[in-house]
Amino acid sequence: LFKACVEDDFVIDVLHRLNGVPVSAAMIASAAEREVLALRMPVLSPTQVLTEKLTALNEHHCDFAGLLPGVRAVREQVDWPRVRQDTAGNDFAHAFLVLTDRLGITA
């Protein structure tokens, strides 16, 4: 995340990497325009957001409790097979998905 100030009038947040991977034009193009706090902006799909959050889990940051309320709220909008495929290399993501399965969130 990079904050760019424009003539002291406003600040723009520029996101150029997610989990170390450059944000591509295709990723931005895939975002749906939504109203967030009265502002129209591109918003990634719940599947993409969850994938990025799970990919970021590691031995130093593994807060399942912080993820559960959001996942419950969007569970019907998530492409669960895709999340599993895209996070297959992360054991912490796998553990979270096992937990969501056992809690009946992904079923």
Side-chain angles (χ1 to χ4, degrees):
L1 180 66
F2 173 76
K3 297 213 178 264
C5 297
V6 179
E7 299 178 12
D8 296 327
D9 291 333
F10 55 91
V11 176
I12 299 171
D13 289 336
V14 180
L15 185 64
H16 45 112
R17 288 189 178 275
L18 284 172
N19 292 319
V21 178
V23 174
S24 66
M27 182 182 285
I28 300 286
S30 74
E33 192 158 303
R34 304 260 188 240
E35 192 167 306
V36 179
L37 299 173
L39 297 172
R40 301 256 340 136
M41 63 181 67
V43 177
L44 296 175
S45 73
T47 299
Q48 288 174 300
V49 172
L50 181 57
T51 298
E52 294 303 331
K53 287 184 173 284
L54 293 181
T55 304
L57 295 175
N58 61 45
E59 61 273 3
H60 300 293
H61 174 75
C62 187
D63 181 11
F64 291 175
L67 289 172
L68 284 171
V71 168
R72 278 194 176 110
V74 299
R75 65 180 164 225
E76 293 88 9
Q77 301 169 41
V78 174
D79 179 348
W80 292 106
R82 181 170 171 205
V83 170
R84 290 176 196 288
Q85 177 185 349
D86 292 349
T87 62
N90 184 311
D91 292 336
F92 296 93
H94 178 77
F96 180 81
L97 293 169
V98 168
L99 176 62
T100 58
D101 289 344
R102 295 200 53 169
L103 292 174
I105 294 171
T106 55

